[in-house]
Amino acid sequence: MITPDIAIRDVLIGYRTRPRVASHFGHRSGGGPIHHYLATLHPQLYGPTADHGPPPTDLDELRLWALTHAGEHQQKAALDRLAAQLPHTTQLLKPPLHEPSLPAPTRAWLQDADRSIRQLASQIHRVSPAFATPHALPEHTSPTTAAPGPDPAPQDITRALADFISPDIAPDDVLLSFRPHPRTGGRFTTREATATAFGSLLHARLHGLEAAAAARPEAWEELNRSPHTAAGQQAAALVRLSNQLHSAGDILTWAQHWSHWHRLPRDIHTQLGSAATTVRELADGISKIPAAPGAALAATPALVPPAAPSPAPPRR
């Protein structure tokens, strides 16, 4: 759909919400190499395969891996990977902290955020062993969604694309963009369209219709590829960190839901919810810094070290 001679590894994909609904979905955005999104989309449409490999290290990808691949015995692996990777995300704080023009209050807030992220990792590490204990799910009950049939309709593809942002968002409010990897030297023009448009085009291709553009749901919109570059390394690093932390919040909420289905002790559910709230507050605070580096920020939430989970959660 882009150009027949481009390698998949040289295509980057981006997701964002339309401005009219952005506030309802936490101004969510994301993106990365398209091959991962395709690998995630395929089992959504055709059902999962037997082996999905180890959890990815990137938190955006880990979020997708958890939501689409992780079965009932893989929550601990996802949380362990999250705990291991969170401290590495603080490397993204180095560019802004080394910026001489950064206001002192903002610098202090970011230093507190660094410590809080590391405390979060420790908290998650203490909670994750609870998911290793044998447990049984209630019969005929599952928190996951049944896999679609073998022949997805355009609306199935559209819905799967929109779900990368949220299961509650309308597909027309999800904007997808394709852009070239920097190593390609800009071999094609960055393009953007709604999930609805891409759903129709992908359906046409999946069914072997060469005239995929016949659907023509809407014209391509040219993207301005310079905002992050113009904002500088400081803004780009903080935007990246904010997105990573939002993904961490989604992973923690996902684990919190599983803790309910696994009937784990109530304190595990509470700790996961508290950690999800904290990491999202950090993400929201960090996201405000590039736009207004001199703005006053609320104090970083203090984290209370959790109690070690029971090695044998009681059945309820």
Side-chain angles (χ1 to χ4, degrees):
M1 296 194 306
I2 298 168
T3 178
D5 61 347
I6 191 81
I8 292 178
R9 66 179 180 273
D10 291 332
V11 180
L12 302 177
I13 190 171
Y15 281 79
R16 68 182 179 90
T17 54
R18 283 193 187 274
R20 66 189 179 204
V21 299
S23 62
H24 299 301
F25 296 93
H27 298 271
R28 290 302 305 274
S29 63
I34 195 173
H35 67 267
H36 173 77
Y37 287 82
L38 293 175
T40 303
L41 185 63
H42 187 275
Q44 288 287 91
L45 298 174
Y46 297 103
T49 55
D51 182 16
H52 303 294
T57 56
D58 179 85
L59 297 189
D60 291 338
E61 295 189 359
L62 181 61
R63 168 186 176 269
L64 296 174
W65 183 88
L67 295 177
T68 59
H69 295 331
E72 63 183 79
H73 303 297
Q74 294 174 297
Q75 290 80 45
K76 183 180 184 299
L79 287 176
D80 285 343
R81 182 56 59 90
L82 176 59
Q85 288 303 121
L86 269 176
H88 294 297
T89 65
T90 62
Q91 296 296 312
L92 293 166
L93 291 172
K94 286 186 176 180
L97 285 174
H98 291 164
E99 174 59 46
S101 63
L102 190 70
T106 304
R107 187 183 306 278
W109 192 92
L110 288 176
Q111 290 169 341
D112 287 343
D114 185 315
R115 288 189 289 270
S116 291
I117 291 170
R118 296 177 188 278
Q119 288 176 342
L120 267 172
S122 178
Q123 181 177 355
I124 296 165
H125 180 71
R126 290 188 179 99
V127 170
S128 68
F131 288 89
T133 305
H135 43 253
L137 294 175
E139 283 190 33
H140 309 301
T141 309
S142 172
T144 58
T145 303
D151 187 20
Q155 59 267 27
D156 296 327
I157 302 173
T158 293
R159 184 65 261 167
L161 290 171
D163 283 348
F164 283 114
I165 288 287
S166 168
D168 300 319
I169 197 170
D172 276 339
D173 287 328
V174 176
L175 296 176
L176 286 74
S177 63
F178 286 130
R179 63 186 187 277
H181 193 283
R183 62 171 166 251
T184 67
R187 287 179 52 207
F188 64 90
T189 303
T190 301
R191 298 160 182 169
E192 184 176 65
T194 64
T196 302
F198 278 118
S200 297
L201 291 169
L202 279 172
H203 182 264
R205 282 299 183 194
L206 286 170
H207 285 262
L209 303 179
E210 289 302 318
R216 305 297 295 183
E218 63 180 69
W220 297 111
E221 301 171 21
E222 185 71 18
L223 278 181
N224 181 350
R225 286 181 280 164
S226 63
H228 287 307
T229 302
Q233 188 179 22
Q234 171 186 330
L238 291 175
V239 167
R240 171 69 173 156
L241 177 56
S242 178
N243 288 338
Q244 290 277 288
L245 294 180
H246 272 300
S247 289
D250 287 349
I251 295 167
L252 290 166
T253 298
W254 164 83
Q256 185 186 30
H257 292 161
W258 273 107
S259 75
H260 169 75
W261 288 100
H262 287 328
R263 302 172 180 175
L264 299 185
R266 189 178 299 275
D267 69 307
I268 299 297
H269 186 275
T270 301
Q271 290 172 34
L272 288 168
S274 173
T277 299
T278 298
V279 78
R280 288 191 176 109
E281 288 175 352
L282 287 168
D284 289 340
I286 288 169
S287 69
K288 297 173 185 175
I289 295 174
L297 294 173
T300 304
L303 299 178
V304 179
S310 168
R315 299 283 187 260
R316 291 186 296 195

